[in-house]
Amino acid sequence: MTTADLGPPIPPVGRRTRRLNIGGVPVGGGAPVSVQTMTTTRTADVDATLQQIAEVTAAGCDLVRVAVPTPDDAAALAAIVARSPLPVIADIHFQPRYVFAAIDAGCAAVRVNPGNIKKFDDRVADIARAASAARIPIRVGVNAGSLDPRLLAKHGCATAEALVESALWEAALFEEHGFGDLKIAVKHHDPQTMILANQLLAESCDYPIHLGVTEAGPMFQGTVKSAVAFAILLSEGIGDTIRVSISAPPADQVKAGNHILQSLGLRPRKLEIVSCPGCGRVQVDIHRLASRVEAAFEGFPHPLRVAVMGCVVNGPGEAREADLGVSSGNGKGQIFVGGRIIRTVPEHLIVDALIEEALALTQQADLHETGTTP
């Protein structure tokens, strides 16, 4: 097997939406699904915010959102936009005046939460006019935790139907004023409610949809909840951007999102580590070995599949199927490259041997692509 065998990403099928341009990143209309996150710094701290944006850029982020809760945050937007390597989306709550500040600062898009912006419906005409003049999209983000009180009273709680009704009501207001460059998000902490809400939304409009299980939880729980919901919806062609809203640093949210898309064939694979869970047959600390391999390959830029196996049952077969791998036991490891055993090394040299062979493989691939010989 070669790196080429990992194959190209498989585009989503089924739902066709209007296309948006968010700071040069195409969203909807058949464009690849984008990964986004949100900074956790105070936006007014320009240097800290830009440092975090650099970190999420390195992790593979496509779009970044920054909170704008204060006048100082709004004042910092222009400096952040000017120096950010990613399109910056302003996240606006409570005060509609910050929408106009974000547009004036050159943000690539603005996210508004109609449920908690004062007299939002009264300001839609002005927002639509300003966004249209600046040619930037608006994301209407409806969350279960901040649903319009009128809809809470009508539905009794934040049901899937209530979330969709709120989003479509606000979208209709923008459309009345001639503005249709909208992206919609309907979020809930419960994956089943979130899935139903997005399915209902997709049936009712052709707006691009942002997916997120809001307040998903800690790393393990939140990633699982997000992956389950995203897999179901993306397999139905629903979803144009995603955020894994876990209680973890933004770069980890991005990494989780990329791994989900790669697992679904919606993003080109990079490094993939295949490792066994461990059992009574294993003669090596497979958890420690897999962690050491993962750490050693952190940031490796080439799309290799690396198998880290711990016994003779599935180990040789998985190692043969990977670009390179190791089948471990009895204090040593058999190193596989391209399905063949090329050497056996002591256990403490396994990680070094895998790195050496990975570099040799990628060098050979580079030489092949350029048509040169060593």
Side-chain angles (χ1 to χ4, degrees):
M1 179 176 290
T2 67
T3 56
D5 293 323
L6 295 176
I10 302 170
V13 296
R15 183 172 183 263
R16 299 291 294 183
T17 75
R18 59 188 73 182
R19 172 72 67 92
L20 301 180
N21 181 342
I22 301 180
V25 175
V27 171
V33 178
S34 299
V35 175
Q36 69 170 258
T37 188
M38 190 171 181
T39 55
T40 57
T41 56
R42 286 191 64 246
T43 303
D45 188 338
V46 173
D47 289 340
T49 301
L50 285 168
Q51 175 59 37
Q52 198 166 77
I53 291 174
E55 292 169 1
V56 301
T57 302
C61 190
D62 301 303
L63 301 165
V64 66
R65 190 155 41 107
V66 299
V68 190
T70 72
D72 288 343
D73 298 318
L77 287 174
I80 293 170
V81 168
R83 296 165 57 190
S84 173
L86 297 177
V88 175
I89 301 170
D91 191 76
I92 309 299
H93 296 263
F94 304 117
Q95 294 293 341
R97 69 176 183 271
Y98 296 146
V99 174
F100 305 102
I103 293 172
D104 291 341
C107 288
V110 175
R111 183 265 179 147
V112 295
N113 185 340
N116 61 23
I117 293 181
K118 295 178 180 178
K119 298 182 178 179
F120 179 77
D121 291 359
D122 297 338
R123 302 305 303 273
V124 167
D126 294 334
I127 293 172
R129 189 178 304 111
S132 180
R135 304 184 68 178
I136 69 167
I138 297 288
R139 173 180 145 193
V140 176
V142 177
N143 278 14
S146 53
L147 187 63
D148 189 312
R150 295 169 296 182
L151 289 168
L152 275 177
K154 175 180 177 180
H155 291 269
C157 64
T159 63
E161 292 79 6
L163 296 173
V164 173
E165 183 176 346
S166 175
L168 293 179
W169 167 260
E170 303 301 340
L173 292 180
F174 277 102
E175 293 282 4
E176 284 181 7
H177 296 285
F179 187 82
D181 289 342
L182 301 169
K183 182 169 65 169
I184 307 294
V186 285
K187 293 187 174 183
H188 200 285
H189 66 271
D190 173 56
Q192 295 183 67
T193 303
M194 175 267 193
I195 291 167
L196 177 57
N198 280 280
Q199 289 170 331
L200 293 172
L201 181 64
E203 292 173 357
S204 305
C205 69
D206 68 345
Y207 300 117
I209 291 176
H210 172 74
L211 300 181
V213 178
T214 191
E215 290 91 40
M219 174 77 80
F220 182 79
Q221 173 183 290
T223 301
V224 171
K225 288 167 68 173
S226 298
V228 169
F230 294 173
I232 290 172
L233 291 167
L234 290 169
S235 69
E236 297 174 359
I238 300 171
D240 302 282
T241 64
I242 65 169
R243 180 191 178 195
V244 181
S245 299
I246 49 178
S247 300
D252 288 338
Q253 298 178 11
V254 172
K255 291 174 184 177
N258 277 304
H259 279 302
I260 291 170
L261 293 183
Q262 289 168 24
S263 296
L264 295 171
L266 295 174
R267 180 155 289 202
R269 291 184 184 273
K270 294 185 179 178
L271 178 74
E272 179 185 8
I273 295 177
V274 178
S275 60
C276 66
C279 70
R281 295 188 300 267
V282 172
Q283 297 176 336
V284 65
D285 186 343
I286 194 65
H287 300 156
R288 179 173 178 271
L289 178 59
S291 294
R292 289 178 58 216
V293 172
E294 182 179 36
F297 277 87
E298 177 73 24
F300 196 80
H302 300 281
L304 293 178
R305 182 179 286 118
V306 182
V308 182
M309 305 302 294
C311 81
V312 297
V313 175
N314 293 320
E318 289 287 359
R320 278 194 297 268
E321 289 297 315
D323 293 299
L324 71 153
V326 60
S327 181
S328 312
N330 295 322
K332 57 184 181 295
Q334 292 180 320
I335 305 298
F336 289 72
V337 176
R340 297 185 300 108
I341 299 173
I342 62 164
R343 55 175 162 147
T344 300
V345 299
E347 184 178 317
H348 70 281
L349 294 178
I350 286 174
V351 176
D352 291 339
L354 290 174
I355 289 290
E356 290 173 9
E357 298 302 334
L359 292 172
L361 263 180
T362 54
Q363 183 180 34
Q364 292 171 15
D366 290 342
L367 291 172
H368 178 73
E369 289 178 5
T370 59
T372 58
T373 56

